[in-house]
């Protein structure tokens, strides 16, 4: 399963890329607003750091406008993936871009029916939002299981499941058990994955015992 970082914070991307765990980046208009920086500049910066897929979201609501924005975003680098909303117009744009072999990420997916439509329109990635479903009392991971089952039934559906709105380690591990292709992680959630109280406790005990031996390795 691939790990994407869900952020538009270039400094953090540079830092966390050192973990060797980052396969790609996803951004969205809210993350760009949070960064306070120019969207196109951010994307240029990210492409200097990350060679894997970088999702850049369109903001037009009409198909023609989405395609015009996609054409501009595409020029930044060949690893830019065009992020489109899961609307009728978004899926028309998806179909048209996929015919031109331009990679797409269809976002704001909240049902298996929507995921099926996106796959039929040739989406490269579908982004179901698990955290936001949990927020309204539904089960986000059930949606991932449903999409996985639907896609697995048809060999001609090649859309990858990119689990988004990930909030915790449980979302990550359940995504891996189901066999999702990608999880996109907020930086804090990625860092959380390293931690277990028994790891810290065990290391503290090892080091305290080692000290008693008065040895050093180098
Ligand atoms: O990038 C889309 C998605 O990951 C947003 O997550 O936490 O705002 O629901 P969140």
């Amino acid at each position: 399963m691939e790990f994407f970082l869900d952020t538009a914070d270039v400094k953090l991307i540079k830092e966390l890329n050192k973990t060797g765990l980052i396969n790609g980046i996803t951004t969205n208009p809210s993350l760009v607003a949070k960064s306070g920086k120019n969207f196109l500049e951010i994307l240029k910066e990210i492409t200097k750091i990350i060679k894997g897929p970088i999702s850049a979201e369109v903001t037009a609501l009409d198909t023609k406008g989405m395609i015009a924005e996609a054409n501009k975003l595409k020029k930044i680098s060949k690893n830019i993936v065009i992020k489109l909303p899961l609307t009728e117009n978004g899926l028309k744009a998806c179909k048209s871009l996929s015919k031109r072999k331009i990679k797409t990420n269809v976002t704001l997916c909240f049902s298996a029916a929507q995921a099926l439509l996106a796959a039929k329109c040739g989406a490269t990635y579908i982004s179901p939002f698990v955290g936001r479903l949990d927020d309204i009392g539904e089960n986000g991971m059930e949606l991932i299981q449903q999409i996985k089952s639907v896609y697995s039934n048809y060999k001609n559906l090649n859309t990858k499941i990119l689990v988004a709105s990930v909030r915790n380690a449980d979302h990550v591990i359940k995504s891996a058990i189901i066999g999702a292709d990608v999880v996109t992680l907020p930086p804090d959630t990625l860092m959380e994955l390293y931690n277990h109280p028994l790891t810290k406790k065990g290391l503290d005990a090892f080091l305290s015992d080692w000290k008693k031996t008065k040895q050093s390795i180098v």
Side-chain angles (χ1 to χ4, degrees):
M1 185 170 72
E2 294 197 312
F3 279 7
F4 291 180
L5 211 50
D6 197 24
T7 183
D9 184 328
V10 177
K11 248 174 111 181
L12 265 177
I13 292 171
K14 209 176 268 173
E15 196 46 43
L16 293 179
N17 193 36
K18 293 179 191 160
T19 61
L21 292 168
I22 310 303
N23 304 113
I25 302 291
T26 51
T27 62
N28 65 43
S30 302
L31 292 170
V32 173
K34 194 174 154 198
S35 79
K37 304 234 171 81
N38 176 278
F39 182 33
L40 300 184
E41 289 305 318
I42 291 171
L43 292 174
K44 279 181 202 152
E45 287 293 311
I46 299 175
T47 58
K48 285 184 207 151
I49 309 165
I50 303 290
K51 298 300 155 214
I54 300 165
S55 286
E57 189 159 343
V58 300
T59 53
L61 291 174
D62 62 305
T63 305
K64 207 173 147 206
M66 288 177 188
I67 291 172
E69 290 183 0
N71 288 335
K72 181 155 182 189
L73 292 168
K74 245 338 268 169
K75 283 194 191 124
I76 295 173
S77 176
K78 61 176 189 311
N79 54 337
I80 294 285
V81 173
I82 306 303
K83 205 168 174 189
L84 301 156
L86 207 154
T87 58
E88 184 183 344
N89 287 341
L91 290 187
K92 283 177 184 161
C94 176
K95 182 85 193 172
S96 152
L97 294 172
S98 80
K99 270 191 199 153
R100 290 166 54 201
K101 307 251 180 283
I102 293 174
K103 290 193 172 152
T104 53
N105 173 0
V106 175
T107 189
L108 290 164
C109 170
F110 293 95
S111 77
Q114 289 181 317
L116 180 58
L117 297 187
K120 285 175 71 66
C121 289
T124 314
Y125 298 98
I126 183 71
S127 287
F129 279 30
V130 292
R132 292 193 195 182
L133 279 172
D134 292 351
D135 288 345
I136 60 160
E138 292 191 25
N139 186 334
M141 295 318 302
E142 259 174 32
L143 173 60
I144 304 304
Q145 182 62 72
Q146 281 179 4
I147 297 172
K148 179 75 185 173
S149 306
V150 170
Y151 284 6
S152 303
N153 282 340
Y154 303 98
K155 286 209 168 15
N156 63 331
L157 298 182
N158 297 311
T159 302
K160 291 182 175 172
I161 303 173
L162 191 168
V163 183
S165 189
V166 169
R167 304 272 168 82
N168 51 51
D170 198 47
H171 283 152
V172 177
I173 203 63
K174 282 186 176 143
S175 297
I177 290 167
I178 292 167
D181 301 280
V182 188
V183 281
T184 188
L185 301 163
D188 288 352
T189 311
L190 171 69
M191 297 319 289
E192 255 177 61
L193 301 182
Y194 283 96
N195 299 328
H196 192 286
L198 291 180
T199 305
K200 179 164 176 9
K201 196 177 165 200
L203 186 59
D204 288 348
F206 285 158
L207 293 183
S208 133
D209 290 340
W210 177 247
K211 228 174 172 178
K212 292 176 207 157
T213 72
K214 299 199 189 326
Q215 299 179 46
S216 83
I217 297 172
V218 287

